Amino acid sequence: MNRHPDKRSRLVDAAVRLVHEQGFARTTLADIAGAAGVPLGNVYYYFKTKEAIGEALVAHHAGHYATLRGQWNQSGDARSRLAAFVQMTADNRAVLARSGCPVGTLCAELHKAGGPLAEQTGAIFTELLGWLEEQFRALGRDTDAADLALHLLSALQGVSLIAHSLDDPEYVDRETARLTGWIQTL
Amino acid sequence: MNRHPDKRSRLVDAAVRLVHEQGFARTTLADIAGAAGVPLGNVYYYFKTKEAIGEALVAHHAGHYATLRGQWNQSGDARSRLAAFVQMTADNRAVLARSGCPVGTLCAELHKAGGPLAEQTGAIFTELLGWLEEQFRALGRDTDAADLALHLLSALQGVSLIAHSLDDPEYVDRETARLTGWIQTL
DNA sequence: GTCTATACATGGATAGAC
DNA sequence: GTCTATCCATGTATAGAC
């Protein structure tokens, strides 16, 4: 891949941003083309259909989180990794209040639409849950590591949704503060 | 209102169901009209625009939760009310896995679209948070009642989103079991 | 109040010149 | 590989007969 790095990646970057802000259905190919500085008809040279852009979008997010996990795995212990994960959400308070979690909102929308894209997006959550479970297991929580992972991801996804729905980053502050404290008690 | 109870309420009921399953944008007026057994053109006698249907939809959900809170307020203590709230989510495991929380998914979609409907939907969360806060306060948690309310709603909304994204009701089971246990410890 | 036919805008996708 | 012009399906909304 990447024989056309310039235009193709510009299109993907534009799609990532616009879809996060507007949703997938409401983002038109003309929007994406315009934001990337590419004529509309030329988009189809890089992506056969709009759904193909959706796939690239999902792959982008999956790759992004994989990279983050790789970085977190490099340093610190399990507890500090979990804290870093929560802190990332806290740092993104403004964006989350404005447009929600890029992955969570995309998952919700694509699952209502159905189709193969829905499963691919959901896989990002599966991978994240697996990584979280590893961290909890490293903390000695062998029996309930999966439940703790689910609880943490639920709380973060939920507060992102609430902060987005009420357009108020303060909710992110409060819940992430609670979760950070909770992690220290484990 | 309600001078046209039959057709109008049939349209709203159909809209509630279809929008939950497909999302607001993907649900066409023809879909709603067809499901309600009303000719397409006649829909516009009851609702001037599609957005007007959206308003009725949001009002329906707001009224539904207001009714539920009224019932819960009739009986039991604060702890059992909170347990009933969590249990409602647990009971809806199948629907949540298939289509997500009707309010949460609607909030997410409408906030990406913008406009006045977004705020009206978000208000459902505000009302729910207020009621939850009252219950926690009744349990003697005066200082952190609001934080506990946010935590509970976040966890439930988050696990609904995850179960929906992974199309698996088991996630709902696990997180609601945890939350039910947590409430008993307060 | 009800319903059919249709206008109009939007947006995904293609044709074909360059 | 690039870009303009255009096709065509979909869906909201309206006109107007009944």
mmCIF file of all heavy atoms in Angstrom, chain B residues 49-68:
data_model
loop_
_atom_site.group_PDB
_atom_site.id
_atom_site.type_symbol
_atom_site.label_atom_id
_atom_site.label_comp_id
_atom_site.label_asym_id
_atom_site.label_seq_id
_atom_site.Cartn_x
_atom_site.Cartn_y
_atom_site.Cartn_z
ATOM 1 N N THR B 49 -42.446 18.804 9.449
ATOM 2 C CA THR B 49 -41.140 18.400 8.923
ATOM 3 C C THR B 49 -40.671 17.133 9.627
ATOM 4 O O THR B 49 -41.268 16.685 10.609
ATOM 5 C CB THR B 49 -40.088 19.494 9.176
ATOM 6 O OG1 THR B 49 -39.929 19.638 10.583
ATOM 7 C CG2 THR B 49 -40.520 20.829 8.577
ATOM 8 N N LYS B 50 -39.594 16.592 9.127
ATOM 9 C CA LYS B 50 -39.024 15.417 9.777
ATOM 10 C C LYS B 50 -38.515 15.786 11.167
ATOM 11 O O LYS B 50 -38.598 14.996 12.105
ATOM 12 C CB LYS B 50 -37.883 14.850 8.928
ATOM 13 C CG LYS B 50 -37.365 13.531 9.462
ATOM 14 C CD LYS B 50 -36.213 12.973 8.642
ATOM 15 C CE LYS B 50 -35.762 11.630 9.198
ATOM 16 N NZ LYS B 50 -34.600 11.091 8.461
ATOM 17 N N GLU B 51 -38.009 16.991 11.292
ATOM 18 C CA GLU B 51 -37.520 17.422 12.597
ATOM 19 C C GLU B 51 -38.642 17.444 13.635
ATOM 20 O O GLU B 51 -38.419 17.155 14.814
ATOM 21 C CB GLU B 51 -36.886 18.814 12.496
ATOM 22 C CG GLU B 51 -36.350 19.306 13.829
ATOM 23 C CD GLU B 51 -35.360 20.447 13.660
ATOM 24 O OE1 GLU B 51 -35.184 20.941 12.536
ATOM 25 O OE2 GLU B 51 -34.747 20.829 14.684
ATOM 26 N N ALA B 52 -39.850 17.759 13.190
ATOM 27 C CA ALA B 52 -40.987 17.739 14.115
ATOM 28 C C ALA B 52 -41.225 16.333 14.642
ATOM 29 O O ALA B 52 -41.610 16.142 15.805
ATOM 30 C CB ALA B 52 -42.236 18.270 13.416
ATOM 31 N N ILE B 53 -40.996 15.339 13.803
ATOM 32 C CA ILE B 53 -41.090 13.954 14.272
ATOM 33 C C ILE B 53 -39.999 13.704 15.303
ATOM 34 O O ILE B 53 -40.230 13.047 16.314
ATOM 35 C CB ILE B 53 -40.967 12.968 13.097
ATOM 36 C CG1 ILE B 53 -42.168 13.139 12.160
ATOM 37 C CG2 ILE B 53 -40.883 11.532 13.605
ATOM 38 C CD1 ILE B 53 -42.227 12.121 11.051
ATOM 39 N N GLY B 54 -38.818 14.239 15.050
ATOM 40 C CA GLY B 54 -37.729 14.115 16.008
ATOM 41 C C GLY B 54 -38.103 14.691 17.367
ATOM 42 O O GLY B 54 -37.804 14.100 18.407
ATOM 43 N N GLU B 55 -38.762 15.829 17.355
ATOM 44 C CA GLU B 55 -39.178 16.431 18.630
ATOM 45 C C GLU B 55 -40.156 15.535 19.370
ATOM 46 O O GLU B 55 -40.059 15.354 20.588
ATOM 47 C CB GLU B 55 -39.822 17.794 18.366
ATOM 48 C CG GLU B 55 -38.826 18.879 17.988
ATOM 49 C CD GLU B 55 -39.533 20.189 17.635
ATOM 50 O OE1 GLU B 55 -40.669 20.397 18.098
ATOM 51 O OE2 GLU B 55 -38.948 20.987 16.886
ATOM 52 N N ALA B 56 -41.114 14.990 18.642
ATOM 53 C CA ALA B 56 -42.088 14.088 19.266
ATOM 54 C C ALA B 56 -41.398 12.858 19.831
ATOM 55 O O ALA B 56 -41.761 12.328 20.887
ATOM 56 C CB ALA B 56 -43.151 13.690 18.250
ATOM 57 N N LEU B 57 -40.384 12.426 19.113
ATOM 58 C CA LEU B 57 -39.592 11.267 19.515
ATOM 59 C C LEU B 57 -38.887 11.532 20.846
ATOM 60 O O LEU B 57 -38.941 10.722 21.777
ATOM 61 C CB LEU B 57 -38.542 11.066 18.427
ATOM 62 C CG LEU B 57 -37.935 9.735 18.184
ATOM 63 C CD1 LEU B 57 -38.959 8.855 17.521
ATOM 64 C CD2 LEU B 57 -36.740 9.889 17.251
ATOM 65 N N VAL B 58 -38.228 12.663 20.916
ATOM 66 C CA VAL B 58 -37.510 13.025 22.136
ATOM 67 C C VAL B 58 -38.503 13.193 23.291
ATOM 68 O O VAL B 58 -38.258 12.714 24.403
ATOM 69 C CB VAL B 58 -36.719 14.327 21.918
ATOM 70 C CG1 VAL B 58 -36.120 14.812 23.224
ATOM 71 C CG2 VAL B 58 -35.625 14.104 20.876
ATOM 72 N N ALA B 59 -39.623 13.836 23.010
ATOM 73 C CA ALA B 59 -40.639 14.015 24.050
ATOM 74 C C ALA B 59 -41.148 12.666 24.540
ATOM 75 O O ALA B 59 -41.400 12.477 25.738
ATOM 76 C CB ALA B 59 -41.801 14.858 23.511
ATOM 77 N N HIS B 60 -41.278 11.734 23.626
ATOM 78 C CA HIS B 60 -41.725 10.392 24.010
ATOM 79 C C HIS B 60 -40.750 9.758 25.006
ATOM 80 O O HIS B 60 -41.161 9.217 26.043
ATOM 81 C CB HIS B 60 -41.850 9.516 22.757
ATOM 82 C CG HIS B 60 -42.134 8.070 23.058
ATOM 83 N ND1 HIS B 60 -43.398 7.539 23.074
ATOM 84 C CD2 HIS B 60 -41.306 7.039 23.380
ATOM 85 C CE1 HIS B 60 -43.354 6.261 23.386
ATOM 86 N NE2 HIS B 60 -42.086 5.925 23.567
ATOM 87 N N HIS B 61 -39.470 9.820 24.700
ATOM 88 C CA HIS B 61 -38.467 9.227 25.595
ATOM 89 C C HIS B 61 -38.427 9.961 26.933
ATOM 90 O O HIS B 61 -38.339 9.333 27.992
ATOM 91 C CB HIS B 61 -37.091 9.247 24.932
ATOM 92 C CG HIS B 61 -36.935 8.248 23.836
ATOM 93 N ND1 HIS B 61 -37.062 6.900 24.033
ATOM 94 C CD2 HIS B 61 -36.681 8.401 22.509
ATOM 95 C CE1 HIS B 61 -36.879 6.256 22.876
ATOM 96 N NE2 HIS B 61 -36.650 7.151 21.941
ATOM 97 N N ALA B 62 -38.475 11.282 26.881
ATOM 98 C CA ALA B 62 -38.449 12.060 28.121
ATOM 99 C C ALA B 62 -39.640 11.677 28.997
ATOM 100 O O ALA B 62 -39.499 11.475 30.207
ATOM 101 C CB ALA B 62 -38.465 13.557 27.805
ATOM 102 N N GLY B 63 -40.809 11.571 28.376
ATOM 103 C CA GLY B 63 -42.002 11.191 29.132
ATOM 104 C C GLY B 63 -41.906 9.787 29.683
ATOM 105 O O GLY B 63 -42.328 9.518 30.821
ATOM 106 N N HIS B 64 -41.316 8.902 28.903
ATOM 107 C CA HIS B 64 -41.177 7.516 29.337
ATOM 108 C C HIS B 64 -40.340 7.414 30.608
ATOM 109 O O HIS B 64 -40.720 6.739 31.570
ATOM 110 C CB HIS B 64 -40.548 6.700 28.214
ATOM 111 C CG HIS B 64 -40.258 5.285 28.569
ATOM 112 N ND1 HIS B 64 -41.249 4.363 28.843
ATOM 113 C CD2 HIS B 64 -39.086 4.614 28.717
ATOM 114 C CE1 HIS B 64 -40.704 3.191 29.143
ATOM 115 N NE2 HIS B 64 -39.391 3.322 29.073
ATOM 116 N N TYR B 65 -39.207 8.120 30.604
ATOM 117 C CA TYR B 65 -38.343 8.056 31.789
ATOM 118 C C TYR B 65 -38.954 8.793 32.971
ATOM 119 O O TYR B 65 -38.761 8.394 34.130
ATOM 120 C CB TYR B 65 -36.945 8.600 31.459
ATOM 121 C CG TYR B 65 -36.094 7.561 30.792
ATOM 122 C CD1 TYR B 65 -36.056 7.462 29.406
ATOM 123 C CD2 TYR B 65 -35.362 6.640 31.530
ATOM 124 C CE1 TYR B 65 -35.303 6.483 28.770
ATOM 125 C CE2 TYR B 65 -34.607 5.655 30.911
ATOM 126 C CZ TYR B 65 -34.586 5.586 29.536
ATOM 127 O OH TYR B 65 -33.840 4.606 28.910
ATOM 128 N N ALA B 66 -39.689 9.870 32.687
ATOM 129 C CA ALA B 66 -40.369 10.572 33.776
ATOM 130 C C ALA B 66 -41.388 9.652 34.441
ATOM 131 O O ALA B 66 -41.521 9.621 35.672
ATOM 132 C CB ALA B 66 -41.044 11.838 33.239
ATOM 133 N N THR B 67 -42.092 8.895 33.623
ATOM 134 C CA THR B 67 -43.066 7.939 34.169
ATOM 135 C C THR B 67 -42.381 6.888 35.030
ATOM 136 O O THR B 67 -42.841 6.567 36.134
ATOM 137 C CB THR B 67 -43.823 7.251 33.018
ATOM 138 O OG1 THR B 67 -44.510 8.237 32.253
ATOM 139 C CG2 THR B 67 -44.817 6.237 33.560
ATOM 140 N N LEU B 68 -41.266 6.368 34.521
ATOM 141 C CA LEU B 68 -40.536 5.346 35.278
ATOM 142 C C LEU B 68 -40.082 5.888 36.630
ATOM 143 O O LEU B 68 -40.230 5.229 37.662
ATOM 144 C CB LEU B 68 -39.329 4.869 34.480
ATOM 145 C CG LEU B 68 -39.606 3.899 33.333
ATOM 146 C CD1 LEU B 68 -38.317 3.561 32.597
ATOM 147 C CD2 LEU B 68 -40.264 2.631 33.852
#
